[in-house]
CSV table of all heavy atoms in Angstrom, one decimal:
chain,number,residue,atom,x,y,z
A,21,TRP,N,-4.7,-7.6,-12.6
A,21,TRP,CA,-3.6,-8.6,-12.8
A,21,TRP,C,-3.3,-9.4,-11.5
A,21,TRP,O,-2.7,-10.5,-11.6
A,21,TRP,CB,-2.4,-8.0,-13.4
A,21,TRP,CG,-1.8,-6.8,-12.6
A,21,TRP,CD1,-0.8,-6.8,-11.7
A,21,TRP,CD2,-2.2,-5.4,-12.8
A,21,TRP,NE1,-0.6,-5.5,-11.3
A,21,TRP,CE2,-1.4,-4.7,-11.9
A,21,TRP,CE3,-3.2,-4.8,-13.6
A,21,TRP,CZ2,-1.6,-3.3,-11.8
A,21,TRP,CZ3,-3.3,-3.4,-13.5
A,21,TRP,CH2,-2.5,-2.7,-12.6
A,92,ASN,N,-4.2,1.1,-17.1
A,92,ASN,CA,-2.7,1.1,-17.1
A,92,ASN,C,-2.3,0.8,-18.5
A,92,ASN,O,-2.7,-0.2,-19.2
A,92,ASN,CB,-2.3,0.0,-16.2
A,92,ASN,CG,-2.5,0.3,-14.7
A,92,ASN,OD1,-1.6,0.6,-14.0
A,92,ASN,ND2,-3.8,0.2,-14.3
A,137,LYS,N,-2.8,5.6,-16.2
A,137,LYS,CA,-1.5,5.4,-15.5
A,137,LYS,C,-0.4,4.9,-16.4
A,137,LYS,O,-0.6,3.9,-17.1
A,137,LYS,CB,-1.7,4.5,-14.3
A,137,LYS,CG,-0.5,4.6,-13.4
A,137,LYS,CD,-0.8,3.8,-12.1
A,137,LYS,CE,0.0,2.6,-12.1
A,137,LYS,NZ,-0.6,1.4,-11.7
A,139,TRP,N,3.4,3.7,-16.6
A,139,TRP,CA,4.7,3.3,-15.9
A,139,TRP,C,5.6,2.8,-17.1
A,139,TRP,O,5.2,2.1,-18.0
A,139,TRP,CB,4.5,2.1,-15.0
A,139,TRP,CG,5.9,1.6,-14.6
A,139,TRP,CD1,6.8,2.2,-13.8
A,139,TRP,CD2,6.5,0.4,-15.1
A,139,TRP,NE1,7.9,1.5,-13.7
A,139,TRP,CE2,7.8,0.4,-14.5
A,139,TRP,CE3,6.2,-0.6,-16.0
A,139,TRP,CZ2,8.8,-0.6,-14.8
A,139,TRP,CZ3,7.1,-1.6,-16.3
A,139,TRP,CH2,8.3,-1.6,-15.7
A,179,GLU,N,4.0,7.2,-13.1
A,179,GLU,CA,4.7,6.4,-12.0
A,179,GLU,C,6.2,6.3,-12.2
A,179,GLU,O,6.7,6.3,-13.3
A,179,GLU,CB,4.1,4.9,-12.1
A,179,GLU,CG,4.6,4.0,-11.1
A,179,GLU,CD,3.9,2.6,-11.2
A,179,GLU,OE1,2.8,2.5,-11.9
A,179,GLU,OE2,4.3,1.7,-10.6
A,180,TYR,N,6.9,6.3,-11.1
A,180,TYR,CA,8.4,6.2,-11.2
A,180,TYR,C,8.9,4.9,-10.6
A,180,TYR,O,8.1,4.3,-9.8
A,180,TYR,CB,9.0,7.4,-10.5
A,180,TYR,CG,8.7,7.6,-9.0
A,180,TYR,CD1,9.5,7.0,-8.0
A,180,TYR,CD2,7.5,8.3,-8.6
A,180,TYR,CE1,9.1,7.2,-6.7
A,180,TYR,CE2,7.2,8.4,-7.3
A,180,TYR,CZ,8.0,7.8,-6.3
A,180,TYR,OH,7.7,8.0,-5.0
A,181,LYS,N,10.1,4.5,-10.9
A,181,LYS,CA,10.7,3.3,-10.4
A,181,LYS,C,12.2,3.4,-10.5
A,181,LYS,O,12.6,3.8,-11.6
A,181,LYS,CB,10.1,2.1,-11.1
A,181,LYS,CG,10.7,0.8,-10.6
A,181,LYS,CD,10.0,-0.4,-11.3
A,181,LYS,CE,10.7,-1.7,-10.9
A,181,LYS,NZ,10.1,-2.8,-11.5
A,212,CYS,N,2.2,9.0,-9.6
A,212,CYS,CA,1.8,7.8,-8.9
A,212,CYS,C,3.0,7.3,-8.1
A,212,CYS,O,4.1,7.2,-8.6
A,212,CYS,CB,1.4,6.7,-9.9
A,212,CYS,SG,1.1,5.1,-9.1
A,213,LEU,N,2.7,7.1,-6.8
A,213,LEU,CA,3.8,6.6,-5.9
A,213,LEU,C,3.5,5.1,-5.7
A,213,LEU,O,2.5,4.7,-5.0
A,213,LEU,CB,3.7,7.3,-4.6
A,213,LEU,CG,4.8,7.1,-3.6
A,213,LEU,CD1,5.0,8.3,-2.6
A,213,LEU,CD2,4.6,5.8,-2.8
A,214,ASP,N,4.4,4.2,-6.2
A,214,ASP,CA,4.3,2.8,-6.0
A,214,ASP,C,5.3,2.5,-4.8
A,214,ASP,O,6.5,2.8,-4.9
A,214,ASP,CB,4.8,2.0,-7.2
A,214,ASP,CG,4.7,0.5,-7.1
A,214,ASP,OD1,5.1,0.0,-6.1
A,214,ASP,OD2,4.1,-0.1,-8.0
A,215,THR,N,4.7,2.0,-3.7
A,215,THR,CA,5.5,1.8,-2.5
A,215,THR,C,6.7,0.9,-2.7
A,215,THR,O,7.7,1.0,-1.9
A,215,THR,CB,4.7,1.4,-1.3
A,215,THR,OG1,3.9,0.3,-1.7
A,215,THR,CG2,3.7,2.5,-0.9
A,216,GLY,N,6.7,0.1,-3.7
A,216,GLY,CA,7.8,-0.9,-3.9
A,216,GLY,C,8.9,-0.3,-4.8
A,216,GLY,O,9.9,-1.0,-5.0
A,217,HIS,N,8.8,0.9,-5.2
A,217,HIS,CA,9.7,1.5,-6.2
A,217,HIS,C,10.8,2.4,-5.7
A,217,HIS,O,11.1,3.4,-6.3
A,217,HIS,CB,8.9,2.2,-7.3
A,217,HIS,CG,8.2,1.2,-8.2
A,217,HIS,ND1,7.5,1.6,-9.4
A,217,HIS,CD2,7.9,-0.1,-8.1
A,217,HIS,CE1,6.9,0.6,-9.9
A,217,HIS,NE2,7.2,-0.5,-9.2
A,240,PHE,N,-1.6,6.1,-5.4
A,240,PHE,CA,-0.7,5.1,-4.8
A,240,PHE,C,-0.8,3.8,-5.5
A,240,PHE,O,-1.9,3.4,-5.9
A,240,PHE,CB,-1.0,4.8,-3.3
A,240,PHE,CG,-0.6,5.8,-2.4
A,240,PHE,CD1,-1.5,6.8,-1.9
A,240,PHE,CD2,0.7,5.8,-1.9
A,240,PHE,CE1,-1.1,7.7,-1.0
A,240,PHE,CE2,1.1,6.8,-1.0
A,240,PHE,CZ,0.2,7.7,-0.5
A,241,ASP,N,0.3,3.1,-5.7
A,241,ASP,CA,0.3,1.7,-6.0
A,241,ASP,C,0.8,1.0,-4.7
A,241,ASP,O,2.0,1.1,-4.4
A,241,ASP,CB,1.2,1.3,-7.1
A,241,ASP,CG,0.6,1.4,-8.5
A,241,ASP,OD1,-0.6,1.8,-8.5
A,241,ASP,OD2,1.2,1.0,-9.5
A,242,PHE,N,-0.1,0.4,-3.9
A,242,PHE,CA,0.4,-0.2,-2.7
A,242,PHE,C,0.9,-1.6,-2.9
A,242,PHE,O,0.2,-2.4,-3.6
A,242,PHE,CB,-0.8,-0.3,-1.7
A,242,PHE,CG,-1.0,1.0,-1.0
A,242,PHE,CD1,-2.3,1.5,-0.9
A,242,PHE,CD2,0.0,1.7,-0.3
A,242,PHE,CE1,-2.6,2.7,-0.2
A,242,PHE,CE2,-0.3,2.9,0.4
A,242,PHE,CZ,-1.6,3.4,0.4
A,243,ASN,N,1.9,-1.9,-2.3
A,243,ASN,CA,2.5,-3.3,-2.2
A,243,ASN,C,3.6,-3.3,-1.2
A,243,ASN,O,3.9,-2.2,-0.6
A,243,ASN,CB,3.0,-3.8,-3.6
A,243,ASN,CG,3.9,-2.8,-4.2
A,243,ASN,OD1,5.0,-2.5,-3.6
A,243,ASN,ND2,3.6,-2.4,-5.4
A,249,ASP,N,11.5,-4.9,-6.1
A,249,ASP,CA,10.1,-4.6,-6.4
A,249,ASP,C,9.3,-5.9,-6.2
A,249,ASP,O,8.9,-6.5,-7.2
A,249,ASP,CB,10.0,-4.0,-7.8
A,249,ASP,CG,8.6,-3.6,-8.2
A,249,ASP,OD1,7.8,-3.4,-7.2
A,249,ASP,OD2,8.2,-3.5,-9.4
A,251,ASP,N,6.4,-6.8,-5.0
A,251,ASP,CA,4.9,-6.8,-5.2
A,251,ASP,C,4.2,-7.7,-4.2
A,251,ASP,O,3.2,-8.4,-4.6
A,251,ASP,CB,4.6,-7.2,-6.7
A,251,ASP,CG,4.8,-6.1,-7.6
A,251,ASP,OD1,4.8,-4.9,-7.2
A,251,ASP,OD2,4.9,-6.3,-8.8
A,284,MET,N,-4.6,2.5,-4.9
A,284,MET,CA,-4.6,1.3,-5.7
A,284,MET,C,-3.7,0.2,-5.1
A,284,MET,O,-2.7,0.6,-4.4
A,284,MET,CB,-4.1,1.5,-7.1
A,284,MET,CG,-5.1,1.3,-8.2
A,284,MET,SD,-4.2,1.2,-9.7
A,284,MET,CE,-3.5,-0.4,-9.6
A,285,LEU,N,-4.0,-1.0,-5.3
A,285,LEU,CA,-3.0,-2.1,-5.0
A,285,LEU,C,-2.3,-2.4,-6.3
A,285,LEU,O,-2.9,-2.3,-7.4
A,285,LEU,CB,-3.7,-3.4,-4.5
A,285,LEU,CG,-4.5,-3.3,-3.3
A,285,LEU,CD1,-5.1,-4.7,-2.9
A,285,LEU,CD2,-3.8,-2.7,-2.1
A,286,ASP,N,-1.0,-2.7,-6.2
A,286,ASP,CA,-0.3,-3.2,-7.4
A,286,ASP,C,0.5,-4.4,-6.9
A,286,ASP,O,1.6,-4.2,-6.4
A,286,ASP,CB,0.7,-2.2,-8.0
A,286,ASP,CG,1.5,-2.7,-9.2
A,286,ASP,OD1,1.1,-3.8,-9.6
A,286,ASP,OD2,2.4,-2.0,-9.6
A,287,GLN,N,-0.1,-5.6,-6.9
A,287,GLN,CA,0.5,-6.7,-6.2
A,287,GLN,C,0.4,-8.0,-7.1
A,287,GLN,O,-0.5,-8.0,-8.0
A,287,GLN,CB,-0.3,-7.0,-4.9
A,287,GLN,CG,-0.1,-6.0,-3.9
A,287,GLN,CD,-0.9,-6.3,-2.6
A,287,GLN,OE1,-0.9,-5.5,-1.7
A,287,GLN,NE2,-1.6,-7.4,-2.6
B,402,LIG,MN1,3.0,0.0,-9.9
Side-chain angles (χ1 to χ4, degrees):
W21 53 97
N92 290 255
K137 192 171 106 224
W139 171 73
E179 180 176 348
Y180 60 92
K181 179 176 176 177
C212 170
L213 186 158
D214 184 313
T215 50
H217 288 188
F240 282 98
D241 271 6
F242 280 130
N243 52 56
D249 186 20
D251 282 342
M284 240 195 77
L285 303 181
D286 178 11
Q287 296 178 181

